[in-house]
Amino acid sequence: MTVQFGHNRLAFYIAVFLLSGTVLGIVANFASIFLPDIHHDFIIFGLITTSVTIFAFLCSLQWATPWTESILLFILGILWLTMGAWSTDVIGPLQCDSIPRSQQIPSKAGTTGMRSYCYQMKVVQAFSWTIFCLFVIAFYILLQLVNQAKRFGRYNIWSEPIRELPWFDESPGYYGQGVQGPGMPMAMPAYPPTPSPGYYPGAHGGVPGSQIIIQPGVNGAPPTVTQVPMSA
């Protein structure tokens, strides 16, 4: 997996896990207070949305392609958009701090505090809209990364493992591998051949009747080879 994309995707998943888990806990608390007669439609939808999100992300964290990831983000984004709009419709513009502490609302056991219910609904509303915004951003980034991978020559990137998807400044493929341009494999740096011990350029094959003088180089410089005619 390309390192930057892997880290960002994991951070996105963790954020959604935490937010969804918080909403799931609040909605489960509502279920214990109000079900089966009060707010049953909203509570059941909230339980389904949060549970499906957590389960789907657990599966997608291990097995996913850009195609399945895009479908998952689109469907879950619609669910959380509905969740945010529904919670806004339920609680409305109500200011929780203006509600008297003694005010009660009906529950399955009799009554419960209106202010506590209001604060919890505000959290559900805020977190639902936050998760929806995260899905929109993730969906947009995914499309941009897929288009970038196609420009690098990975035309089947939609069906390839999502771990090979590059970040904006990386090449497709596993970390340390990839391409430098569309359809061009990554070039390896070329190194000059290493001379064998005791060999120096020009030290062999001199002109007959001459002698070769080799002077060591100074400060790591190559040795100096001088060919001097032999005296008669």
Side-chain angles (χ1 to χ4, degrees), residues 148-167:
Q148 174 185 263
K150 287 185 175 181
R151 290 195 298 269
F152 277 102
R154 301 292 291 271
Y155 301 109
N156 297 322
I157 192 64
W158 279 111
S159 58
E160 296 179 2
I162 198 169
R163 62 179 177 270
E164 298 187 17
L165 198 63
W167 194 243

Side-chain angles (χ1 to χ4, degrees), residues 162-186:
I162 198 169
R163 62 179 177 270
E164 298 187 17
L165 198 63
W167 194 243
F168 290 106
D169 55 350
E170 296 177 335
S171 301
Y174 292 100
Y175 180 67
Q177 301 178 359
V179 294
Q180 293 181 330
M184 298 294 294
M186 178 177 290

Side-chain angles (χ1 to χ4, degrees), residues 99-107 110-115:
I99 300 175
R101 295 182 181 275
S102 59
Q103 185 171 346
Q104 302 289 308
I105 57 174
S107 68
T111 59
T112 187
M114 176 63 181
R115 174 179 281 196

